[in-house]
């Protein structure tokens, strides 16, 4: 795949080296037209826009996400974000002993952790880093909300092993695919997950406000969410006083959808569908392999997996004074981020060229070697060791 063929569709790439796609991917130029389309519909069609597509957007857009993640039509709905999507899932269950355990990994994304910690009656079991999640799952486990790709280190998880164990003991899994969808091939049907969730700001290039929820088709009508609203009613426009769940996955909806966000998001999904996640992955592996090799050759400790089969789209690396390195990179037009535990995070997407990756690695080396990062740190932070340069062979 030639990334050059797509670069002009992402205007920000003309201004900087954009390597922060694990956080907020570059905006497709088509988003502007999509949002103008939304405004035109509101301006010219007014109230009629609801019947002309707006009301159905959480389902029609959900079907598009479904095509990217291996979900059949009618099994994905759109929500504001992952937190709301998982809250709807959680609301389907009574948290009563003996089956009230929620089991997840220590490195789970905080918003997910908070949701289950706050759930009344839940007994949360946190599995320490490095221990297999499946070993903690037993007959007391109700839900296993875990990540496909860990957000901190970009490590791909053994989903099959977790699903197998969960189903063996009658537990259900909620797979958080935020860091995989659009970057790492994903087939929620083949993985046999019960629920899957994700958002769109990262590799899907769809922007904020477009979270998604997949529910395994045979589960859909056996569940009754308590977090519900009129979009989940069988006849929402009859304004009936009593709840009757809609048939199909619409029962997992709440109230008025986030229409502009859903318009915008489709511009991202279109390009992801056009390029194809398999091709994206091939490019991603080449870029992250190169980055990993260059950074290790320079003597830095790469904290993301070294085996490309276990690595998602992001490379994480510890350098001396990496907060300062990050700030200096930003001044030099290289956009990435850092986490205290793992160091710099660099997430090239399919539109990033090999030259950009080489340039970023060379700049990191130069910034450390010359000490250019030091002026961004308080002098107290600059240790002799940091001045000496690289720490790890
Ligand atoms: C794995 C993962 N889950 C969830 C989120 C965010 O959740 P929400 O959509 O609720 O903001 C992120 C990052 O933003 C993430 O990396």
């Amino acid at each position: 795949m030639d990334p050059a063929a797509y670069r002009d569709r992402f205007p920000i790439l003309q201004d900087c080296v954009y390597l922060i796609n694990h956080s907020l991917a570059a905006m497709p130029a088509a988003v502007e037209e999509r949002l103008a389309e939304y405004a035109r519909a509101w301006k010219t069609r007014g109230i009629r826009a609801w019947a002309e597509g707006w009301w159905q957007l959480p389902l029609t857009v959900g079907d598009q996400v479904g095509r990217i993640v291996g979900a059949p039509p009618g099994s994905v709905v759109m929500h504001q974000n992952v937190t709301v999507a998982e809250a709807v899932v959680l609301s389907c269950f009574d948290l009563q002993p003996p089956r009230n355990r929620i089991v997840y990994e220590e490195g789970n994304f905080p918003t997910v952790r908070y949701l289950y910690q706050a759930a009344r009656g839940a007994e949360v079991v946190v599995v320490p880093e490095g221990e297999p999640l499946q070993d903690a799952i037993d007959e007391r486990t109700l839900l296993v909300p875990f990540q496909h790709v860990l957000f901190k280190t970009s490590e791909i998880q053994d989903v099959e092993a977790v699903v197998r164990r969960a189903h063996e003991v009658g537990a259900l899994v909620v797979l958080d695919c935020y860091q995989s969808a659009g970057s790492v091939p994903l087939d929620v049907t083949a993985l046999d997950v019960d629920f899957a969730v994700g958002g769109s700001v990262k590799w899907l290039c769809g922007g904020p406000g477009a979270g998604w929820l997949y529910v395994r088709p045979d589960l859909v009508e056996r569940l009754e969410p308590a977090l519900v609203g009129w979009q989940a009613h069988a006849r929402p426009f009859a304004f009936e006083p009593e709840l009757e769940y809609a048939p199909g996955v619409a029962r997992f909806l709440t109230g008025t959808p986030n229409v502009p966000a859903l318009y915008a998001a489709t511009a991202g999904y279109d390009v992801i569908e056009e390029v194809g996640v398999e091709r994206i992955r091939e490019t991603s592996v080449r870029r992250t392999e190169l980055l990993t090799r260059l950074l290790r050759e320079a003597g830095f400790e790469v904290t993301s997996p070294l085996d490309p089969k276990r690595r998602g789209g992001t490379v994480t690396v510890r350098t001396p004074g990496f907060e300062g390195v990050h700030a200096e990179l930003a001044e030099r037009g290289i956009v990435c981020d850092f986490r205290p535990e793992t160091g710099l995070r660099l997430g090239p997407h399919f539109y990033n060229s090999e030259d950009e990756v080489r340039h970023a690695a060379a700049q990191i080396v130069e910034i450390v070697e010359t000490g250019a990062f030091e002026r961004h740190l308080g002098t107290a932070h600059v240790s002799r060791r940091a001045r000496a340069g690289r720490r790890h062979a």
Side-chain angles (χ1 to χ4, degrees), residues 22-23 80-86 107-112 147-152 176-180 197-202 211 345:
H22 52 274
S23 183
Q80 170 76 14
N81 53 42
V82 163
T83 314
V84 172
E86 291 214 28
N108 210 349
F109 194 83
T111 201
V112 173
Q147 298 163 96
H148 185 195
V149 172
L150 300 183
F151 84 97
K152 259 189 226 163
D176 181 345
C177 308
Y178 217 142
Q179 288 291 352
S180 59
V197 295
S200 302
V201 303
K202 306 174 195 295
R345 299 198 304 173

Side-chain angles (χ1 to χ4, degrees), residues 353-371:
S353 66
E354 187 179 313
D355 283 351
E356 285 182 314
V357 164
R358 285 187 187 280
H359 175 65
Q363 290 296 304
I364 292 170
V365 173
E366 205 264 344
I367 289 166
V368 172
E369 272 179 354
T370 59

Side-chain angles (χ1 to χ4, degrees), residues 1-8 10-26 183 202-203 205 275 279-280 282-288 290-291 313-314 333-336 345-360:
M1 190 190 75
D2 179 11
Y6 299 96
R7 287 180 68 83
D8 60 356
F10 295 89
I12 205 169
L13 304 182
Q14 288 162 18
D15 304 328
C16 60
V17 175
Y18 201 75
L19 294 174
I20 195 159
N21 302 290
H22 52 274
S23 183
L24 178 63
S183 170
K202 306 174 195 295
W203 309 102
C205 304
V275 182
R279 288 208 304 158
I280 291 173
E282 276 168 32
T283 305
S284 166
V285 167
R286 277 208 302 280
R287 301 286 179 267
T288 57
L290 177 63
L291 204 43
T314 314
I334 299 169
V335 186
C336 63
R345 299 198 304 173
L346 303 141
H349 212 340
F350 64 93
Y351 38 66
N352 288 115
S353 66
E354 187 179 313
D355 283 351
E356 285 182 314
V357 164
R358 285 187 187 280
H359 175 65

